[in-house]
Amino acid sequence: MSTSVTETHGVRAATAIQTAPQLSVDLAPGAKRELILRNPVMTASGTSSNGLELARLFDINRLGGLLSKGVTLKPRRGNPTPRIVETPAGMLNSIGFQNVGVRRLLSDAATVWETWDVPVVVNMLGDTVEEFARLAQVLDGAPGVAGLEVNISCPNLDVGGVAFGRDPVAAGRVVEAVVSSTTLPVIAKLTPDVTDIAVVARACQDAGADALCVANSFVGMSIDVNSRRPRTNRPVAGLTGPAIKPLALRLVWETAKAVDIPVIGCGGIVDGRDAVEFILAGATAVQVGTASFRDPFASIRVLEELIQYCRDNDVADVNDLVGALQVG
């Protein structure tokens, strides 16, 4: 950091000139197609629709990356209401993957994504391995699509989702099928609902995943003591928000130690220091999710606070923070 001296009304004042840190990160080193973000801050799937609304509030191209709302081959209506419940320091959701289907996504949203500079990664889900592969084929080469996030972790479904993510063999089969069906970078989104996340993480890496997202929502529930019924339409739902941050942080740390591919941290991030914690634990990038419901500008604020942290701590390159946690 250098310093310039200015003269103001005869008083010498030292003004710090702060150089912006290097923020770009590579989420798919060695992949068929690159996925380089201008900074580590992404949105999380399902929390900002397809980015079209956010783009009306701020320059969407300031973000490192954007995740689409999860998509399936055919449209889905999702679960009946009620499917959102506030909890202390978080929320439960049981949306059930409501979406317009991949063809409508490409015609309505991807045509807009194509005009953006920010890379958009499509979160995708199938009920079978074959459906995952078919989705990958449809999305491969689609204008505006920069990568695929394979959702093997959604807890609000009767089939697919977390059923694949709990089993390393099944998870590997899904990832392998997607990788063989696309030239796009492939990110596997893992469930926290496992005994040892490192086992599933290694299976996904061995199957060809370029990166891992850790983690999806935790399974929880809330009960109305007056009616003695669950507050969501299904007895259990996905818990997100600040309440899960310490748990997600631990999973990122364990995953990053187990694999040699980039890890994306997700779970309870609300400010820049949260993002730094995940990066120190081993995350190459982070996703901001539930915080955007309360503050649509949350992802931009996280980015600005991350940049300020780097400046305040003389961090010239954000990659120098990845896995820099000191233990012992």
Side-chain angles (χ1 to χ4, degrees):
M1 182 182 298
S2 60
T3 303
S4 67
V5 178
T6 60
E7 194 77 27
T8 306
H9 301 296
V11 179
R12 289 165 57 88
T15 304
I17 300 176
Q18 296 183 324
T19 303
Q22 195 291 120
L23 295 171
S24 66
V25 297
D26 188 351
L27 287 188
K32 302 170 189 175
R33 293 167 61 178
E34 67 179 20
L35 183 55
I36 297 176
L37 313 186
R38 62 168 47 88
N39 64 69
V41 179
M42 314 173 76
T43 61
S45 176
T47 60
S48 57
S49 188
N50 290 313
L52 307 186
E53 294 84 0
L54 289 186
R56 294 199 289 264
L57 299 177
F58 58 79
D59 180 6
I60 201 75
N61 295 310
R62 292 180 62 191
L63 293 174
L66 186 137
L67 270 294
S68 80
K69 178 172 173 51
V71 70
T72 51
L73 277 174
K74 297 180 179 180
R76 292 193 182 188
R77 298 185 59 161
N79 293 330
T81 59
R83 52 189 192 180
I84 294 286
V85 173
E86 287 192 60
T87 64
M91 63 177 282
L92 286 166
N93 86 84
S94 180
I95 304 301
F97 237 76
Q98 177 180 335
N99 74 96
V100 298
V102 67
R103 298 295 181 183
R104 180 85 176 270
L105 178 80
L106 292 178
S107 64
D108 290 2
T111 52
V112 179
W113 298 339
E114 190 179 6
T115 68
W116 295 349
D117 290 331
V118 60
V120 178
V121 176
V122 173
N123 180 283
M124 48 176 267
L125 177 134
D127 291 342
T128 65
V129 174
E130 292 72 25
E131 282 190 15
F132 273 106
R134 179 60 185 144
L135 265 170
Q137 292 167 357
V138 172
L139 292 164
D140 188 55
V145 178
L148 305 177
E149 185 176 70
V150 182
N151 194 326
I152 50 173
S153 49
C154 180
N156 301 314
L157 303 169
D158 292 321
V159 294
V162 72
F164 288 116
R166 288 177 178 145
D167 180 353
V169 175
R173 287 178 57 220
V174 170
V175 171
E176 184 176 22
V178 172
V179 169
S180 64
S181 301
T182 185
T183 60
L184 291 165
V186 174
I187 301 165
K189 187 165 188 177
L190 306 187
T191 174
D193 191 23
V194 290
T195 302
D196 186 352
I197 198 169
V199 175
V200 180
R202 283 191 291 265
C204 290
Q205 174 179 266
D206 292 344
D210 297 299
L212 305 172
C213 178
V214 181
N216 209 323
S217 55
F218 286 73
V219 179
M221 68 184 303
S222 180
I223 299 172
D224 185 323
V225 296
N226 295 317
S227 67
R228 302 184 183 182
R229 298 182 62 83
R231 286 195 170 95
T232 50
N233 63 83
R234 295 165 63 93
V236 299
L239 177 65
T240 63
I244 72 168
K245 180 193 145 192
L247 302 171
L249 193 62
R250 186 261 299 178
L251 293 175
V252 166
W253 179 59
E254 291 181 349
T255 302
K257 292 190 299 177
V259 298
D260 300 317
I261 54 178
V263 175
I264 303 167
C266 181
I269 296 172
V270 300
D271 59 33
R273 299 190 76 86
D274 289 336
V276 172
E277 285 190 60
F278 275 87
I279 295 170
L280 290 173
T284 298
V286 297
Q287 293 181 358
V288 180
T290 301
S292 296
F293 292 131
R294 181 177 180 181
D295 174 16
F297 296 91
S299 52
I300 288 295
R301 180 170 45 77
V302 168
L303 171 60
E304 292 173 345
E305 292 172 3
L306 171 61
I307 292 171
Q308 192 58 52
Y309 173 89
C310 290
R311 286 173 167 164
D312 292 345
N313 291 274
D314 296 320
V315 177
D317 187 334
V318 72
N319 290 280
D320 293 339
L321 293 174
V322 178
L325 175 67
Q326 299 180 26
V327 179

